[in-house]
Amino acid sequence: MNNGSGTPVAASVAAGTTLRIRLESNVGSDTSRPRDRVSGRLVEPLTVDGRTVVPSGSRVAGRVVEAVESGRVKGRGRLSLRFSSLTSSRTDDTYPIETRTWTKVAPATKKKDAATIGLPAAGGAVVGALVGGGKGAAIGAAAGGGTGTAVVLSTRGKEVRLGEGALLVVRLTEPVTVER
């Protein structure tokens, strides 16, 4: 659009505007590194005063800010992304953008870990009780619990992984001026 004189009119997309992005990259807390590139496309157009200024399907690019692999006993996987450019699919014009950092932390595995330790301990106690009574139950529980603990100590927790097609929602932290 122009103002009638052939001069393009600029529109400002406000800070706080939500961007819904469908990823075109695979990223993960255990597979990505800070500064790795990440890309996607807008799922919904950006509008100002009811008019589309950046159509859906426009490219969005950014970087991995943080990628932390889960630990064996402590530390959950964590992945953070931030987007820094927007390329209109209508005009191919590229605009610098600033978004809030999108972060996801892997779920805790404490309940699973407790079951991994507790079930072998209980099984060992039952077998020990059948074979050697009360003293056998205590020995069996210790042996079973030790086996479960060894499994927990040698296994990493869950990771954060996003594949192509994953949907992210981020907000602009600064306004973006685009020509329409």
Side-chain angles (χ1 to χ4, degrees), residues 116-179:
T116 300
I117 293 169
L119 291 175
V126 169
V127 170
L130 292 173
V131 174
K135 185 175 180 182
I139 293 169
T147 301
T149 300
V151 169
V152 167
L153 292 176
S154 66
T155 305
R156 290 192 176 278
K158 293 183 179 183
E159 301 296 342
V160 177
R161 292 192 184 120
L162 301 173
E164 187 175 332
L167 182 65
L168 303 180
V169 178
V170 297
R171 289 193 184 275
L172 293 174
T173 59
E174 298 292 327
V176 178
T177 301
V178 298
E179 291 184 14

Side-chain angles (χ1 to χ4, degrees), residues 2 6 18-19 32-33 41 54-56 62 66 74 80 115 118 136 165 168 173 175:
N2 60 47
T18 299
L19 305 180
S32 299
R33 299 291 166 251
R41 295 209 178 250
V54 179
S56 61
E66 179 183 43
K74 284 186 174 181
S80 298
L168 303 180
T173 59

Side-chain angles (χ1 to χ4, degrees), residues 18 20 22 24 34-35 90 103 110 117 122 125 129 132 143 151 163 165 170 177-178:
T18 299
R20 292 173 50 87
R22 186 157 321 274
E24 293 183 330
R35 295 185 301 284
R90 181 184 305 145
T103 300
K110 288 181 182 178
I117 293 169
V151 169
V170 297
T177 301
V178 298

Side-chain angles (χ1 to χ4, degrees), residues 7 9 15 45 53 72 76-77 101 109 118 123 128 140 142 168 174:
T7 306
V9 176
V53 295
R72 293 193 195 286
R76 298 182 341 192
T101 301
T109 59
L168 303 180
E174 298 292 327

Side-chain angles (χ1 to χ4, degrees), residues 13-14 16-24 38-47 54-61 81 83 85-87 89 97-100 102 165-172:
V13 180
T17 298
T18 299
L19 305 180
R20 292 173 50 87
I21 301 168
R22 186 157 321 274
L23 284 184
E24 293 183 330
V38 61
S39 63
R41 295 209 178 250
L42 288 180
V43 174
E44 298 169 346
L46 296 180
T47 60
V54 179
S56 61
S58 294
R59 291 186 311 265
V60 184
L81 311 173
F83 295 91
S85 73
L86 172 64
T87 303
S89 62
I97 63 172
E98 291 184 41
T99 66
R100 286 187 181 157
W102 179 94
L167 182 65
L168 303 180
V169 178
V170 297
R171 289 193 184 275
L172 293 174

